[in-house]
Amino acid sequence: QVQLVESGGGLVQAGGSLRLSCAASGRTFSSYGMGWFRQAPGKEREFVAAISRSGDLRRYADSVKGRFAISRDNAKNAQYLQMNILKPEDTAAYYCAATTTDWASVRMDDYAYWGQGTQVTVSS
């Protein structure tokens, strides 16, 4: 089992940047594929980005491709989401998630472990 804690959310103006972090504890972090999902008020949770165990495979939602970058540091038991050129529509609670699969899954059902979320608000 793995426990996940997100940090780094906040309020930023459109066009700005934020870097989210996810600290993991418990079983070996490198044995999990990792992902980021987000949920805006009144909307379903959606996929943002995912990364395989070694970091050699990464996937992004079309809406964030070219603006967001997912990474991980297995030595520090952490993953990150660098968010650039933020838009008001990026406003959401962002969740870190872990999966035992290793193909950078975009499916929420593949992720068994979730953090509590961190709020990102982008003002126009």
Side-chain angles (χ1 to χ4, degrees):
Q1 194 163 345
V2 61
Q3 292 78 42
L4 305 170
V5 179
E6 304 94 335
S7 62
L11 174 64
V12 64
Q13 288 189 333
S17 298
L18 280 176
R19 188 192 195 211
L20 304 185
S21 298
C22 174
S25 60
R27 290 186 58 188
T28 307
F29 177 70
S30 59
S31 64
Y32 293 95
M34 299 298 296
W36 288 97
F37 292 78
R38 67 185 182 187
Q39 187 167 17
K43 295 188 176 181
E44 294 186 351
R45 192 170 297 189
E46 64 176 7
F47 168 76
V48 176
I51 189 167
S52 60
R53 295 169 187 163
S54 65
D56 58 350
L57 179 61
R58 308 177 194 205
R59 301 186 197 277
Y60 296 94
D62 288 343
S63 59
V64 307
K65 205 171 292 184
R67 300 188 298 122
F68 289 13
I70 189 172
S71 62
R72 67 187 295 163
D73 186 336
N74 288 342
K76 294 183 178 180
N77 288 358
Q79 74 153 346
Y80 309 97
L81 185 68
Q82 178 66 42
M83 306 186 295
N84 300 324
I85 318 175
L86 283 161
K87 304 175 181 180
E89 50 264 43
D90 294 319
T91 295
Y94 282 72
Y95 296 89
C96 170
T99 174
T100 55
T101 66
D102 195 30
W103 49 79
S105 176
V106 306
R107 298 178 65 249
M108 276 196 298
D109 288 348
D110 283 339
Y111 292 81
Y113 306 102
W114 293 82
Q116 293 300 305
T118 185
Q119 179 66 35
V120 171
T121 303
V122 184
S123 63
S124 56

